[in-house]
Structure formats: structure tokens, C-alpha cells
Amino acid sequence: MLMTLPWRNRTPELAEVEPVRGAARAAAVAPNEQDNDWYWRPLVLLTLLVVFVGIATSAGRDLWRWLDQPVAEVRIAGAVRHLDKQLIAQDLAASIDSTLLDLDLQRLRDRVIQEPWVHDATISRQWPPALRVNVIEEVPVARWGDKGLLNHQGDIFWPELKPEYVSLPKLSGPAHETVKIMEQFHDLTPMFAANGLKVAGLTLEPRGAWTIDLDNGIRVVAGREQLIPRLKRFLAVYRLTLAARAEEIEQIDIRYPNGVAVRWRAVETNENAG
């Protein structure tokens, strides 16, 4: 069986096509067309870039106007016990003198932390236009002298003292030694507590001497040298001979190498009373 393949007998179409007249001329013109493209394409690209920049600038200007509006609200966040959030917001609102993006947040923060009960504060912008203020309130752990309070870091702050703080231990001494005094207080507290006594006050004198006030009204003059050995000796003597007469004792000086000196409270007689 003989099968004829049609494409085997067909003459290629390219052989039947006659050369087109002017082809050489067309080929000669093509480089000129490419030269023309070299001029107008960069111009189009530059025009598109200018249009894009203009649109972006206009959009950015509109976005800035939307973001930079007058502050409509001041929000105070954070757990507080002594601070009045409404008063803080009102005071802060009164000091706002520009739109939201132009505000000096550091200046506003400095204003907030001037309040004695504010330990720290952070201020951030929010939209719709508002300020958010996160406040951290001071937590007093001791009194400082007669008018101040100490926080857990040993920083002094000076709020209006309330009767509820009378029960806090009273620490005193040079202002730059607050951390040392607090550490000493924490070290001595368990030592006295083990003997049924509570440290109500601790004073560091300018020359380095320590004075301890107990909650039963006794003042212990400890000095500045060999503090812990002296206190151990005092506590031993106190347990054996002085505890039973604690109400009669005003002061105990433990700076002696082999004993203690006791100052007794003055006893008011009937004649003096009359």
C-alpha cells in the first residue's frame, strides 16, 4: 500500500515568494525610527514621573491635614489610688497650644510628672485626634523625715501627707544615702522581728552612726562600727533582762564593748503631779 504524504511533495512557500521591492529601502529607514524613539520615550517617562510626584504630594498634603488636627480628647490610663485622672486631663488640655502632630510630647510629659504622686508617664498620639497618657503612680514604702515619702527604689517624693502613712516606718539621713538606708532597714527588720520587735524608724547620722526606733517607743543608739555584732548582743540582753521592763525604757546605748547603757523614762510622782 502506497501512502503519499502531502507535505513531502509541497514546495516551500518561501520559494514561491518573490522578493518585495523596496525592502532594502525599508531596512534602511528602520534605524531612523529607532532614533526618533530615543527622543520621545524619556520625555514621556519624565512627564509620567512629574504627574506621579504631583499626585503623591497632593495626597500626602491631604493626609497630613487629616492627621494634624486639633486635639479633641485627652485620655488618662493607668491604675491610680491617689491621683485624680480628671484633674490631670484638664491640666494637660490647658497646656495644649498646637495641633496634634506639632505637639511637644516631652514638654507635656514633664508637666505630668511634676505631680508628686506620678512616678512615670508616657504620652502618645492617637486618631481620631487625641492624646493618651499612661501614668504610673508612686507606691510609698516608708516615710522620709517628717514631710517626705520613699518609693521602692529609694526615691524621695513630697506629696501632701495623709494620716494613713503614719504607720509606715520613718527613715532619715542624707538625701543621697536613701538607697543605703532602705537596704539597712530591710536587713534589720527580720533580725528584730525574730525577737518580737518591730523597727519603726531608722536614722543615719551625717558621720555614719545609726539610730533605731522601735515600735514600743525604745530608741537604740547603735553607732557606726560593728553594727550587727552590737545588735546581736543587745537583743540577747534585751531578751534576758530588759523585755519585761520595756515600757520603762526610753533609750538604750549599745556602743559599749561589754554591755549597754539604759536610760529609763522619768516616773511622775504624786507630788510632781500635784
Side-chain angles (χ1 to χ4, degrees), residues 53-80:
V53 171
I55 294 174
T57 302
S58 177
R61 189 181 301 111
D62 293 340
L63 178 61
W64 182 269
R65 290 197 189 102
W66 182 82
L67 294 175
D68 192 26
Q69 299 181 42
V71 177
E73 185 179 2
V74 178
R75 304 170 185 147
I76 309 297
V80 298

Side-chain angles (χ1 to χ4, degrees), residues 180-181 184 202-204 208-212 220-224 227:
K180 178 181 180 180
I181 297 171
Q184 189 70 273
L202 181 63
T203 300
L204 176 62
W210 294 96
T211 301
I212 304 164
V220 180
V221 180
R224 61 180 179 179
L227 179 63

Side-chain angles (χ1 to χ4, degrees), residues 4 6 30 65-66 75 129 136 148 152 155-156 160 195 214 230:
T4 303
R65 290 197 189 102
W66 182 82
R75 304 170 185 147
I136 301 175
H152 62 286
D155 298 325
I156 307 172
E160 182 180 352
N195 292 272
L214 304 179
R230 288 176 178 178

Side-chain angles (χ1 to χ4, degrees), residues 14 16-27:
L14 294 178
E16 297 176 358
V17 178
E18 296 181 358
V20 179
R21 295 178 181 179
R25 182 180 178 183

Side-chain angles (χ1 to χ4, degrees), residues 205 209-213 218-224 227 230-231 234 250-256 260-261 263:
E205 303 296 339
W210 294 96
T211 301
I212 304 164
D213 291 307
I218 298 177
R219 170 164 290 187
V220 180
V221 180
R224 61 180 179 179
L227 179 63
R230 288 176 178 178
L231 288 175
F234 155 71
E250 179 180 346
Q251 178 176 296
I252 302 176
D253 191 336
I254 65 173
R255 292 175 294 179
Y256 300 92
V260 298
R263 180 194 297 173

Side-chain angles (χ1 to χ4, degrees), residues 56-122:
T57 302
S58 177
R61 189 181 301 111
D62 293 340
L63 178 61
W64 182 269
R65 290 197 189 102
W66 182 82
L67 294 175
D68 192 26
Q69 299 181 42
V71 177
E73 185 179 2
V74 178
R75 304 170 185 147
I76 309 297
V80 298
R81 179 183 175 187
H82 305 281
L83 291 168
D84 188 327
K85 291 183 177 181
Q86 184 174 359
L87 289 179
I88 294 176
Q90 291 174 352
D91 180 71
L92 204 58
S95 65
I96 293 176
D97 56 1
S98 59
T99 52
L100 187 61
L101 294 181
D102 290 334
L103 283 174
D104 185 348
L105 298 187
Q106 183 60 44
R107 179 182 66 83
L108 296 178
R109 177 184 176 276
D110 292 341
R111 187 178 183 90
V112 173
I113 62 177
Q114 287 178 359
E115 164 62 42
W117 279 108
V118 176
H119 176 66
D120 197 7
T122 57

